Amino acid sequence: MTNWTLAQRAAKMNPSVIREILKVTEKPGIISLAGGLPSPKTFPIDAFAQACATVLQEDGQAALQYAASEGYLPLREAVARMLPWSVDPDQVLITTGSQQGLDLIAKVLIDPGSRILVETPTYLGALQAFSPMEPTVVSVASDDHGVRVDDLAAKMGTGADRARFLYVLPNFQNPTGRTMTEERRAALVASAAELNLPLIEDNPYGDLWFDQPPALPLTARNPEGSIYLGSFSKVLAPGLRLGFLVAPKALYPKLLQAKQAADLHSPSFNQRMVSEVMKDGFLDRHVPTIRQLYKQQRDAMLAALEREMAGLDVQWNRPDGGMFLWVRLPEGMDAIALLPEAVERNVAFVPGAAFYADDADPRTMRLSFVTASAQQIATGIAALAGAIRARLERSAAPAAAALA
C-alpha cells in the first residue's frame, strides 16, 4: 500500500458547505433556496449558438489552439471599455472564473501567517481560496452599509503583522445581499489610502441592480491601490468559466505568472464566443431581462417572508439587487441544527455560519431567490416557517412543563 504524504496546506482545504448542501437538493421534491446558481432561464442560448458557429467558421483554428495567458485581446479591450474608469487592456487578465482570480491573488500576496482582512460575514469561496496559503484571516466589523471604517485601523496590525489587503464585495454582497453606500465607499477608500492598505474589490453581482445602479466602484477611486474582480457567470453563463481581474501595472506581471503556472490560459474558444456575443452591445439588451426576472423573484420572497414569518421574531433584509437575502432566526436558534428539519419539509438553505472568518452568528442563513419560481418560493418559505415554528414549540415545551 502506498503512503501519500500530504502537504501541510492540504489540511487547510475544506469542502464547500454550499456544494455539500447542493447534493441534498438533488433529492426529488426539494425546493432549493440554497445555491448561488444563476437562473438557467437567463442563459442566452440562441446568441451563443450563433456565436459558436461564427467563431468556428471565421476563426476556428485559433479558437481551438493554445493562446496567450493574458486572454483574448478583443475581449480584454471589451472589458476595459465597459468599466467606469480609465483601464488599459494590458491591465486586464482573463481568468477561469472570478474564483481563479481569488486563487491567483492568494498565491501572489499571501505568505503563511500573513494578516488579511475581510468583511463580517464574507464570501465563502474567498475564504476557501485564501486558506491554503495559511493566512491569519481577521474580520472587520460590518453593518448594513458595509465595512465599518472605524474598525479598520484597529484590525490593521503593525510591523510584519500589517494586513496585506482588505477583501470586500461592495455590491449586493454574497452572502448578505447588502450594498455599500456612497458615503461608506468614499470613507473606506480614503481610510485605506491613509493606511496604505490595498483593496481587493470583488464585483460579480454589480450589474444585477433592480431600481438603480450602485455607486462608483472602489477601484475607480484609487486604481493603483486596488485589484478589481469581475465575472461573466452572472450576466451570461457560469458554465463558460470566464471572469477577469484588473490590476495595477506594477502587480500585473506576477498575477500573470501565477496564471501561467495554474492553467496556461482560460479556454480560448469560450473567450472568442463571449467576445462575439458582446460585440454588438448584447449585454445592454440582455442584462435588463435578468434584472426584471430577479426583481420579481426577490419580491416574491419578501412577500412570502412577510406572510409566513409573522409572529416568529425572524429578521431579514431587502436587497437592492443581486441574488441573495440574509435572514436571522429567533434568539437561541441555530441555523445548522434547523437545516435537517427544513430538508425533511423539502426546503434547503445555507446556514450563515460558513460565511464568517471567526465569531460566527449561528442564527443567520442565506436564501437565494433566483432559481426557484414564485410558487416554489412561496411553498419553500412556508415550509421553512413550519420548521422554525416546530423547533420553537419544542423549545418552549420543557419551560412550560417546568412551570406547571
Side-chain angles (χ1 to χ4, degrees):
M1 180 177 177
T2 302
N3 293 320
W4 295 92
T5 302
L6 297 181
Q8 292 182 3
R9 74 178 65 87
K12 305 292 184 179
M13 299 176 183
N14 296 305
S16 167
V17 173
I18 299 172
R19 296 288 167 178
E20 294 301 311
I21 291 173
L22 287 178
K23 294 178 184 177
V24 175
T25 67
E26 295 174 0
K27 173 185 170 184
I30 289 284
I31 296 173
S32 177
L33 307 179
L37 309 177
S39 171
K41 295 178 181 178
T42 67
F43 300 163
I45 294 172
D46 291 342
F48 275 114
Q50 183 176 344
C52 178
T54 300
V55 168
L56 287 175
Q57 289 169 8
E58 297 182 0
D59 205 16
Q61 291 183 340
L64 299 175
Q65 183 57 279
Y66 287 118
S69 299
E70 293 88 339
Y72 183 48
L73 180 57
L75 182 58
R76 290 160 49 213
E77 291 172 339
V79 168
R81 286 194 300 271
M82 72 185 190
L83 295 174
W85 73 96
S86 179
V87 174
D88 187 327
D90 287 341
Q91 295 176 261
V92 178
L93 179 63
I94 301 299
T95 58
T96 306
S98 61
Q99 186 70 21
Q100 186 186 50
L102 294 170
D103 179 70
L104 302 180
I105 288 167
K107 289 173 178 174
V108 169
L109 296 182
I110 299 175
D111 289 313
S114 296
R115 176 183 289 249
I116 62 172
L117 307 181
V118 298
E119 299 172 276
T120 308
T122 190
Y123 172 48
L124 173 60
L127 296 177
Q128 284 187 290
F130 299 153
S131 291
M133 298 299 107
E134 304 179 56
T136 299
V137 184
V138 177
S139 296
V140 181
S142 307
D143 57 25
D144 290 342
H145 303 299
V147 171
R148 278 179 38 195
V149 177
D150 63 328
D151 194 45
L152 200 56
K155 300 296 175 64
M156 272 293 298
T158 58
D161 191 41
R162 276 180 57 85
R164 297 287 178 92
F165 59 78
L166 166 67
Y167 170 74
V168 62
L169 298 94
N171 299 325
F172 322 124
Q173 193 229 29
N174 182 357
T176 65
R178 69 190 176 206
T179 299
M180 192 177 294
T181 62
E182 166 59 31
E183 293 76 14
R184 188 67 61 86
R185 291 173 197 238
L188 175 58
V189 170
S191 180
E194 183 179 347
L195 294 168
N196 195 24
L197 174 67
L199 299 177
I200 310 298
E201 180 176 16
D202 198 355
N203 189 29
Y205 311 102
D207 290 322
L208 303 181
W209 49 270
F210 297 152
D211 297 313
Q212 59 182 10
L216 194 67
L218 306 176
T219 309
R221 305 159 194 257
N222 184 11
E224 290 303 307
S226 306
I227 299 174
Y228 182 89
L229 296 165
S231 175
F232 295 107
S233 294
K234 308 305 185 292
V235 296
L236 287 175
L240 296 167
R241 303 311 304 131
L242 286 182
F244 60 89
L245 64 79
V246 179
K249 290 185 177 180
L251 185 61
Y252 187 96
K254 283 300 175 185
L255 292 165
L256 176 60
Q257 290 165 20
K259 166 74 174 173
Q260 290 168 344
D263 65 358
L264 301 184
H265 63 85
S266 298
S268 52
F269 178 70
N270 293 8
Q271 292 187 59
R272 280 170 164 79
M273 278 209 303
V274 169
S275 180
E276 178 68 23
V277 166
M278 289 175 60
K279 72 179 185 182
D280 66 347
F282 175 79
L283 287 181
D284 293 335
R285 302 188 301 274
H286 176 61
V287 174
T289 67
I290 305 176
R291 295 178 189 139
Q292 181 180 17
L293 175 64
Y294 288 2
K295 182 179 180 181
Q296 291 171 352
Q297 293 176 203
R298 178 210 61 178
D299 290 347
M301 182 168 282
L302 290 172
L305 287 166
E306 288 283 355
R307 183 173 61 250
E308 302 295 343
M309 301 293 177
L312 288 180
D313 192 29
V314 175
Q315 303 168 356
W316 60 89
N317 62 346
R318 181 186 179 87
D320 296 321
M323 300 167 53
F324 307 110
L325 187 146
W326 195 238
V327 175
R328 197 157 188 254
L329 295 168
E331 183 73 35
M333 192 169 287
D334 188 321
I336 294 175
L338 180 67
L339 180 60
E341 299 179 29
V343 170
E344 286 181 5
R345 295 170 183 259
N346 291 327
V347 63
F349 60 84
V350 180
F355 298 97
Y356 290 82
D358 49 42
D359 298 325
D361 183 347
R363 295 167 58 187
T364 56
M365 67 170 68
R366 190 192 76 178
L367 300 180
S368 173
F369 48 79
V370 301
T371 51
S373 68
Q375 181 56 56
Q376 288 174 322
I377 288 171
T379 302
I381 295 297
L384 179 59
I388 295 171
R389 282 195 172 88
R391 195 164 187 84
L392 288 172
E393 289 169 2
R394 288 199 306 275
S395 299
L403 292 173

